[in-house]
């Protein structure tokens, strides 16, 4: 991909994870993180057709954390990750579709407890490599979020 085909994004952007039933998710763009991560709860591993799968709960609406969706997804791998607090944990990795602006592509996503973090999803370097320039001075360059009442966030 050439430099001309890259888009500018800000420190926060709205994205969709349609295969997981999540739309208009505020994502923290983090060039310091290699991998992307998503907050999930209640991970349970199981076998399906002789493959390793997991079931987990997602909160698709940050304004209503009581609402959850139960998802199932094939496990791509497990990976040891050093978190921002320098603790190491073993996380499940899945591959799923991400929609950001007019682009759609598959990304690797680690699943973890981000309940202490401000944003449910962090998009790391591997997911944005070759696609975007990041200017941390701006938020929501591609899409403006709306409030639960339907108004645009300033």
């Amino acid at each position: 991909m050439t430099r001309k085909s890259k888009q500018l994004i800000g420190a926060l952007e709205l994205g969709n994870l349609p295969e997981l039933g999540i739309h208009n998710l505020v994502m923290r763009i983090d060039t310091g993180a290699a991998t992307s991560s998503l907050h999930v709860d209640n991970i349970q591993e199981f076998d399906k057709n002789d493959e390793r799968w997991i079931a987990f709960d997602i909160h698709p609406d940050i304004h209503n954390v009581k609402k959850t969706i139960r998802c199932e997804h094939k496990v791509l791998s497990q990976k040891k990750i050093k978190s921002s607090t320098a603790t190491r944990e073993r996380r499940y990795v899945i591959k799923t579709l991400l929609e950001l602006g007019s682009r759609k592509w598959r990304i690797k996503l680690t699943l973890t407890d981000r309940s202490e973090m401000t944003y449910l999803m962090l998009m790391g370097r591997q997911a944005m490599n070759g696609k975007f320039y990041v200017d941390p001075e701006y938020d929501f360059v591609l899409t403006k979020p709306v409030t639960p009442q339907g108004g645009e966030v300033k």
Side-chain angles (χ1 to χ4, degrees):
M1 211 171 255
T2 66
R3 286 185 175 187
K4 289 182 181 181
S5 64
K6 290 183 183 181
Q7 282 183 291
L8 177 69
I9 59 175
L12 300 174
E13 290 294 342
L14 281 180
N16 301 321
L17 299 168
E19 295 171 342
L20 301 178
I22 298 178
H23 301 278
N24 296 316
L25 178 66
V26 177
M27 299 181 300
R28 167 90 164 85
I29 309 303
D30 188 349
T31 60
T35 56
S36 301
S37 64
L38 178 68
H39 171 72
V40 300
D41 291 315
N42 305 318
I43 297 175
Q44 296 176 323
E45 187 176 319
F46 64 96
D47 286 332
K48 182 176 181 179
N49 300 325
D50 293 325
E51 296 178 314
R52 189 164 58 148
W53 282 64
I54 50 175
F56 50 91
D57 294 334
I58 293 179
H59 304 279
D61 182 356
I62 194 167
H63 303 291
N64 180 6
V65 293
K66 291 183 180 180
K67 180 180 178 185
T68 60
I69 295 175
R70 188 74 174 163
C71 296
E72 292 184 355
H73 208 288
K74 182 180 172 184
V75 175
L76 182 65
S77 64
Q78 275 190 290
K79 184 175 186 175
K80 283 189 179 176
I81 302 283
K82 186 168 91 174
S83 72
S84 59
T85 60
T87 58
R88 292 200 179 273
E89 68 175 313
R90 195 158 183 80
R91 295 183 189 172
Y92 288 101
V93 180
I94 63 171
K95 197 164 192 175
T96 192
L97 185 67
L98 172 64
E99 299 174 345
L100 183 60
S102 61
R103 297 180 186 231
K104 298 178 185 182
W105 73 105
R106 300 190 74 70
I107 65 166
K108 291 180 182 178
L109 193 56
T110 66
L111 306 179
T112 189
D113 180 353
R114 292 183 51 81
S115 59
E116 299 298 317
M117 305 296 184
T118 305
Y119 302 102
L120 299 178
M121 183 172 165
L122 181 138
M123 187 168 88
R125 291 188 309 273
Q126 293 169 350
M128 66 182 100
N129 191 25
K131 296 171 182 61
F132 302 104
Y133 291 112
V134 180
D135 188 337
E137 180 180 352
Y138 299 103
D139 292 337
F140 307 110
V141 173
L142 298 179
T143 310
K144 298 289 184 216
V146 293
T147 65
Q149 296 80 25
E152 198 172 276
V153 174
K154 304 293 183 223

